[in-house]
Amino acid sequence: MPVADPCAIVIFGASGDLARRKLIPAIYELARDGLLPPQTCVLGFARTRMSEAEFRALCRQSIERFARRRPIDQEAWRLVEPRISYLAADYASADDHARAAALLAELDRLHGCRGNRLYYLATPPDQFEPVIANLGSASAAGGPWRRLVIEKPFGRDGASAAALNALIARHFAESQVFRIDHYLGKETVQNLLVLRFANSIFEPVWNYKYVDHVQITVAECLGVGQRGGYYDRTGALRDMVQNHLLQLLSLVAMEPPAALDADSIRDEKVKVCRSIRPIRPAAVPNVAVRGQYGAGEHMGQTTGGYLAEEGVAPDSRTETFVALKLYIDNWRWSGTPFYLRTGKFLRHKLTDVVVRFRSPPLALFHKECTTPIYANDLVIRIQPDEGISLRINGKVPGGGLNTRCVAMDFLYSTTFQAEPPEAYERLVYDAMAGDQTLFIRADETEAAWSVVDPIAAAWSAMPQRPEIYAPGSWGPKAACELIERDGRRWLHAGDEPQPILACAL
C-alpha cells in the first residue's frame, strides 16, 4: 500500500469515546506500519477543556489500552506525539472555527501538511450541521484537498438523511464525502468480493436455483451500558439494520460490478437496496420482530432490564432486538428469503453471514443412514475469529452409513499468521488516499432508509410493546417463529447445526 498524502486530520469530538477507542489507535497503527506520512498532523477539536499536553497524554493512554498491537511502539509514538494538537472549542462558533483554521495554517508551516485537510466528524449527530456549515465551501479540484468523514447514524429517517445530504452538497462535492460504516472496513467483508467473483465454484450457484436462504446475524453480548440516552432515541432498527446489516446484505446479493472502482461497486449495492420488496404496513407483523431485553445476568454484566437502564424512559418501546425477513425482487434472488437479526445481550458476540444451499434429493439416505443429513452452509465469520467455513456432510469411518457435519475452514489468523488490521485503520487510510470504495454514497443512504422507514412507522403505530427476552438468549421467541414458520432454523438458535431432513425445501 502506498503512503497517503500528508494532511491535517481534524477530529471533531476528539475527547469522545470513538476517538479514544478507535481513531487515535488507528492513526498510531498506520504510523507503526509506515503508512502515515511523517508530515501528517492531528488536531483534536472538542468542547472538553484540556491543554495540549493533557490531550497528548489522553492519546497515549488510548493507544496503550486500545491499540491492536501492544505494548506501545516507542518509535511510532515519537513520530506521532509531536504532531498532536488540541483546541477546546464550540462546534457552532464561527470564531472558534476561525481559530482552528489559523492553527492549521501554522501546523502547515511547521510540519508540511501541504494544506490538505481530513475533517472527521466523530461528534453526536446533532452537531453535524453546525460543523459542516462552519467548514464552508471547499473545492474538489486544484490546490490542497478537503475531505469530510461522517460517522453514523446518517439521519434518523429518509427525510432527515436527504436533508443532511443536501446540506453537505452545498459545501462539498460528493467526491469529497466519506460516509463511514466501519463494518465495510473489516477484512472478511472486503473478502466477500473476492470470494464471490474470484472463485468459479461459487458464482454459478450464487442464486435462487441453488441457495435456499441467507441469514445475517449481528449479535452483541452486552447491553446498552452508558449509551442508554442515545440508544433510546435510536433503537436497533436505525442503529444497526439501516447501515451494518443492509450493507452486508448488499455485498452478498449484488451483481458483479463493471470494475473494482468505488462508483461501480456502489452502483450495484444501490441496485440491491432498490430491489428489496417494499413492506406494506399490514405485513410488518409477519416479517418483522422486535424485542427488548429483560432483567438478568450475562457475561458478568447484570441488568434490571432495558427499561431500568440509565437514560431510558420507563415506558420506552425502543427495540434492542430486530429480526426481519426480506426478499430481493430481481432475477438472481427471486423468491429467496434473506433473514436478518441483530440485538443486545445475546448469547455470543458474533457477526455471521450464512448462505444455506438447497439440499440434494435425500431418497438415497432415508433407508440406510441412521444419522441426519445437514444443510451445506457457507459461513462467513466477520467477527470474532474472522474467516470462512464451508459445512459439508462426510461419512464416519466404519461399516455403517453414518454421516457427520464437517467443516472446511479458512481462518485469517492461521492462514496468514497475522492479525487483520482493525476496520478503522483501513478506513482512515482510504479516506486519506481518497478511495471511496468502502464508503457509502448519498443515494445509498437514502435507498437504505426507504427499506427501514415503513417498518419504523408501522411499529410506532402499533399498541403492542416489544417482546421481552432474557439476557444470554438468542432473542425473543417470535424471532425463532419468524424463520421456523418457513421450515427453517437459525444457525445459532441453540448451538447445534440443523438437519436438512427437518427443513422444508
Side-chain angles (χ1 to χ4, degrees):
M1 294 170 66
V3 176
D5 291 339
C7 67
I9 304 173
V10 184
I11 303 176
F12 294 94
S15 60
D17 195 58
L18 175 64
R20 291 187 297 106
R21 288 177 174 270
K22 297 296 183 181
L23 301 184
I24 297 300
I27 292 167
Y28 156 80
E29 291 285 0
L30 290 174
R32 185 169 180 172
D33 287 336
L35 295 173
L36 192 75
Q39 303 96 327
T40 295
C41 300
V42 176
L43 173 60
F45 186 118
R47 292 176 292 200
T48 303
R49 299 293 167 184
M50 71 175 95
S51 67
E52 186 173 274
E54 290 172 327
F55 181 63
R56 289 179 177 180
L58 179 66
C59 290
R60 184 183 176 101
Q61 292 168 11
S62 299
I63 292 166
E64 289 173 339
R65 183 175 179 186
F66 299 115
R68 174 167 53 91
R69 293 170 292 187
R70 293 185 289 272
I72 191 169
D73 184 311
Q74 298 298 335
E75 187 62 34
W77 174 244
R78 279 195 292 270
L79 175 67
V80 173
E81 182 185 22
R83 290 171 170 79
I84 296 175
S85 303
Y86 184 76
L87 184 65
D90 188 280
Y91 301 126
S93 169
D95 290 341
D96 284 349
H97 281 267
R99 290 169 53 215
L103 178 55
L104 287 167
E106 178 65 13
L107 294 176
D108 284 339
R109 187 185 66 79
L110 290 174
H111 301 299
C113 305
R114 303 182 188 173
N116 297 324
R117 304 284 184 262
L118 184 68
Y119 300 116
Y120 200 116
L121 271 62
T123 66
D126 60 0
Q127 298 301 318
F128 288 175
E129 182 173 346
V131 172
I132 293 168
N134 273 292
L135 289 177
S137 300
S139 173
W145 52 255
R146 302 286 191 272
R147 295 177 187 141
L148 182 72
V149 183
I150 309 177
E151 276 285 341
K152 76 174 186 72
F154 195 87
R156 179 176 172 78
D157 51 27
S160 59
L164 184 53
N165 280 330
L167 171 67
I168 293 169
R170 288 199 292 271
H171 302 289
F172 293 86
E174 182 62 28
S175 61
Q176 297 173 281
V177 183
F178 294 73
R179 298 170 189 81
I180 199 166
D181 183 333
H182 71 269
Y183 267 53
L184 297 181
K186 293 181 180 294
E187 196 69 36
T188 312
V189 174
Q190 299 170 50
N191 198 37
L192 268 169
L193 295 178
V194 177
L195 175 75
R196 287 192 54 194
F197 303 126
N199 295 287
S200 61
I201 63 171
F202 291 124
E203 179 55 25
V205 297
W206 208 266
N207 55 61
Y208 74 95
K209 295 179 182 179
Y210 298 98
V211 174
D212 180 75
H213 69 278
V214 176
Q215 302 177 19
I216 301 176
T217 297
V218 180
E220 301 177 73
C221 59
L222 299 177
V224 298
Q226 303 301 311
R227 299 173 68 235
Y230 160 78
Y231 198 89
D232 204 42
R233 298 188 300 272
T234 308
L237 184 67
R238 294 183 174 94
D239 188 49
M240 298 295 290
V241 176
Q242 186 273 337
N243 39 75
H244 298 332
L245 276 80
L246 288 182
Q247 285 295 316
L248 293 176
L249 181 148
S250 297
L251 288 168
V252 170
M254 64 185 274
E255 295 297 319
L260 291 178
D261 61 85
D263 276 337
S264 296
I265 291 173
R266 296 191 293 182
D267 284 346
E268 299 304 330
K269 289 164 60 185
V270 171
K271 290 178 186 177
V272 172
C273 284
R274 289 175 176 168
S275 298
I276 293 174
R277 184 181 299 173
I279 300 174
R280 300 185 309 275
V284 167
N286 298 322
V287 299
V289 172
R290 59 176 175 165
Q292 264 185 11
Y293 63 80
E297 187 274 336
H298 183 55
M299 302 289 287
Q301 186 178 24
T302 302
T303 179
Y306 176 72
L307 297 180
E309 301 286 14
E310 182 180 353
V312 174
D315 59 348
S316 173
R317 290 169 35 177
T318 298
E319 73 286 349
T320 63
F321 177 97
V322 174
L324 303 176
K325 180 171 74 171
L326 302 176
Y327 287 96
I328 300 172
D329 287 336
N330 62 16
W331 189 271
R332 181 183 291 267
W333 296 112
S334 176
T336 304
F338 284 71
Y339 299 97
L340 283 59
R341 64 174 175 171
T342 183
K344 298 283 189 183
F345 251 137
L346 301 182
R347 183 173 300 181
H348 301 299
K349 178 180 177 62
L350 60 86
T351 300
D352 277 351
V353 175
V354 180
V355 180
R356 177 159 294 175
F357 294 95
R358 295 184 183 274
S359 67
L362 298 174
L364 283 172
F365 302 98
H366 277 305
K367 294 180 180 179
E368 302 295 333
C369 189
T370 59
T371 50
I373 305 296
Y374 292 98
N376 294 137
D377 288 335
L378 182 65
V379 182
I380 302 159
R381 172 62 59 82
I382 293 163
Q383 66 176 7
D385 304 324
E386 295 165 298
I388 299 168
S389 179
L390 180 61
R391 296 153 54 99
I392 63 173
N393 292 289
K395 182 184 177 296
V396 178
L401 186 58
N402 296 317
T403 63
R404 178 180 298 171
C405 182
V406 295
M408 295 190 293
D409 293 333
F410 153 57
L411 297 174
Y412 278 92
S413 58
T414 56
T415 301
F416 297 113
Q417 301 296 314
E419 180 186 1
E422 283 284 335
Y424 278 95
E425 295 173 37
R426 175 62 188 269
L427 294 172
V428 170
Y429 171 84
D430 280 359
M432 292 174 63
D435 185 347
Q436 294 179 300
T437 303
L438 301 179
F439 296 84
I440 302 170
R441 204 167 58 191
D443 55 347
E444 204 174 339
T445 63
E446 295 176 35
W449 278 116
S450 72
V451 177
V452 166
D453 281 349
I455 301 170
W459 281 347
S460 296
M462 288 179 183
Q464 299 92 337
R465 296 184 55 79
E467 181 181 341
I468 302 299
Y469 62 94
S473 69
W474 280 110
K477 182 181 177 182
C480 291
E481 294 172 348
L482 175 71
I483 191 170
E484 289 171 1
R485 283 197 300 267
D486 299 335
R488 301 179 175 99
R489 188 171 181 241
W490 295 107
L491 177 65
H492 306 287
D495 280 320
E496 296 300 321
Q498 175 69 5
I500 297 178
L501 295 173
C503 294
L505 304 177

